[in-house]
Amino acid sequence: MALADRSLDVVVFGASGDTGAAACCCLYFRGKSLGLKSWAPAARNLGKLKADVLDKLKDQSVGEDGLSFQEPIEADSKDHEALVKMCKKTRCVVACAGPYSQYGEGVVRACAETGTNYVDVTGEVPWVQKMERKYGQQALANGATIVSLAGYDSVPPDLSTYLAAKALQKQNDRLQRFDLFAGGGGGAMPTGTINTLVYGVDVAKAEFWRIATFGLVGGAPKKADAKKEEETQGSKVTYVPEDQAPVKASNLFWSMCPGFSTLAKQFCLPHFMAPINVNVVHRTAAQEGYGGLVYRERMGGLPDGFMSLFGLLPTLGGIASGLLLGFFLPLPKSTSVILWIRDRFNPPLSAKARAKMLSGYSSTGETFAHGYGVSEKGVRVETQLKCSYDPGLAFTVLSACSVAATIVKKSAGGEKAKPGFQTAVSAVGGESLAEVFRAQGMTVEVTVGGATQN
């Protein structure tokens, strides 16, 4: 069925989880302002979805900007037939069920097969590369736009770098270096994200002990089934183009080293999402014509004035904390401690954030990204992105829903988003995404040589 003939603009898959519930709140209170006409939630357990999310939303008015939901859809990540049926009803799926390496492939496959657009908020770059190798050609042939990493990781750094580069290109100049400071506060971390981090720590820890003990501890390295390996590795596609790999590797290494930013004039620590975001920034840069830049990603929001010795004191404190964490994580019970902390502290924070989102999608915290760049001709450029939502949930789903809505609107207007696997910025265009963000109350500014551009 052609996209134009489908009854829904967006389906939120995994709508009963932390991220999916936040996406439902976003569309319920912001859907109309995003330009959507219809949406529906989808989940494995409709009873849980109704009790935890939908009944609570029904008690609230959608207001002028909102859009009520259509009939909920029952779909399980392991039920291919149900996923295909779901995809055939909608123009775009916003996938919120993570960890994506465990629950994500079925939705990607169904969207690629049915030509349905797809947006997710994963931070699992190796999984995204695997999905592109398996389903990239099919998605491209069927006209489906597949966008991953559409939340806090990695839209703020990617969009900021894009806007800086394009502003300089308009002046026949080229972005040479860009230092991005990102951060935020408030809200809570989604359970799926925590589980993904714990899984990554367990895998790295097993490998550490396997090497340190010459295979006595940690088990033997896993060997993939030959057929599955052939299916996954049959394509030579890499997430970052091979010609950009050396630049990306250098930029990632130096981004993870504490240092001094001459552009921001402060000492700084690595941003903890840099290992994810650097990949996305370089993929978009290669596609949009500003590859090869020097890029550093730093933790924003730390004291940087005279009393902190221009960020030196918090940087030294961060280095000490990082060393302690490095000693702690390889220990046998480290992930058990992380899970205990999750179960002890995250539920009340998550409940507080959800209550705010269920009450008109009100402010839950802040997200910001401040970029400092310089061109080949020595022209300074700065970018500013900020909003009143926390990075982990509210900003992340607003970003993903904004990308999905922009894809749907472009399709309806005859100007399709780029098909195949794309970054959020490349799929819809950085200018279009920045315009949607501004319409949602975010600040998105670019200043070139002292002149601010909106």
Side-chain angles (χ1 to χ4, degrees), residues 266-289:
Q266 68 175 87
F267 290 94
C268 43
L269 290 167
H271 183 222
F272 69 100
M273 289 293 188
I276 299 169
N277 297 336
V278 166
N279 291 278
V280 180
V281 168
H282 283 78
R283 177 168 175 137
T284 299
Q287 293 176 333
E288 301 296 333

Side-chain angles (χ1 to χ4, degrees), residues 383-398:
T383 63
Q384 180 83 345
L385 185 155
K386 58 182 179 181
C387 76
S388 58
Y389 296 108
D390 69 281
L393 281 173
F395 170 82
T396 285
V397 298
L398 178 56

Side-chain angles (χ1 to χ4, degrees), residues 5-74:
D5 298 328
R6 300 183 186 184
S7 59
L8 298 169
D9 281 339
V10 168
V11 163
V12 176
F13 177 76
S16 60
D18 291 341
T19 306
C24 289
C25 293
C26 179
L27 294 180
Y28 190 82
F29 295 111
R30 295 292 188 94
K32 187 175 180 180
S33 68
L34 286 169
L36 297 175
K37 296 180 180 178
S38 59
W39 71 277
R44 177 182 58 186
N45 186 334
L46 294 187
K48 183 177 186 297
L49 171 64
K50 184 175 183 294
D52 292 353
V53 183
L54 303 185
D55 285 349
K56 295 177 181 179
L57 284 175
K58 283 183 178 179
D59 293 336
Q60 305 287 329
S61 169
V62 299
E64 295 181 357
D65 295 330
L67 189 65
S68 190
F69 51 86
Q70 302 297 309
E71 185 70 22
I73 300 169
E74 185 174 2

Side-chain angles (χ1 to χ4, degrees), residues 122-126 149 153-154 157 197 239 252 256 271-281 297:
T122 185
E124 303 162 65
V125 176
L149 304 120
D153 45 337
S154 303
L197 292 173
Y239 186 79
L252 177 56
M256 297 309 294
H271 183 222
F272 69 100
M273 289 293 188
I276 299 169
N277 297 336
V278 166
N279 291 278
V280 180
V281 168
E297 187 164 317

Side-chain angles (χ1 to χ4, degrees), residues 127-298:
W127 176 79
V128 177
Q129 178 175 274
K130 178 181 176 182
M131 292 301 97
E132 183 171 13
R133 288 178 172 179
K134 293 184 73 170
Y135 305 110
Q137 293 182 355
Q138 187 177 38
L140 189 63
N142 290 334
T145 299
I146 309 292
V147 177
S148 290
L149 304 120
Y152 179 65
D153 45 337
S154 303
V155 170
D158 194 26
L159 179 60
S160 298
T161 309
Y162 172 93
L163 293 174
K166 291 302 180 180
L168 290 169
Q169 284 181 2
K170 291 178 182 178
Q171 299 186 5
N172 297 316
D173 205 347
R174 185 179 179 87
L175 183 63
Q176 182 183 67
R177 177 176 177 130
F178 196 66
D179 290 6
L180 191 284
F181 290 74
M189 186 174 289
T191 302
T193 300
I194 298 174
N195 293 340
T196 300
L197 292 173
V198 168
Y199 174 76
V201 170
D202 279 337
V203 171
K205 185 166 61 175
E207 181 67 11
F208 170 82
W209 284 111
R210 186 185 67 80
I211 294 172
T213 62
F214 301 99
L216 297 176
V217 177
K222 294 181 179 180
K223 294 183 179 180
D225 176 81
K227 184 176 181 180
K228 289 184 178 180
E229 185 72 10
E230 182 180 351
E231 291 175 353
T232 303
Q233 305 297 335
S235 168
K236 297 299 182 182
V237 171
T238 57
Y239 186 79
V240 176
E242 290 184 356
D243 62 341
Q244 293 295 310
V247 177
K248 185 215 77 173
S250 175
N251 285 335
L252 177 56
F253 174 81
W254 291 110
S255 287
M256 297 309 294
C257 296
F260 184 82
S261 171
T262 56
L263 294 175
K265 296 181 173 60
Q266 68 175 87
F267 290 94
C268 43
L269 290 167
H271 183 222
F272 69 100
M273 289 293 188
I276 299 169
N277 297 336
V278 166
N279 291 278
V280 180
V281 168
H282 283 78
R283 177 168 175 137
T284 299
Q287 293 176 333
E288 301 296 333
Y290 53 92
L293 80 159
V294 176
Y295 177 79
R296 302 286 183 267
E297 187 164 317
R298 306 300 193 181

Side-chain angles (χ1 to χ4, degrees), residues 335-350:
T335 50
S336 296
V337 174
I338 294 173
L339 291 174
W340 179 85
I341 293 173
R342 177 201 67 184
D343 295 338
R344 177 68 178 83
F345 296 102
N346 206 57
L349 294 174
S350 180

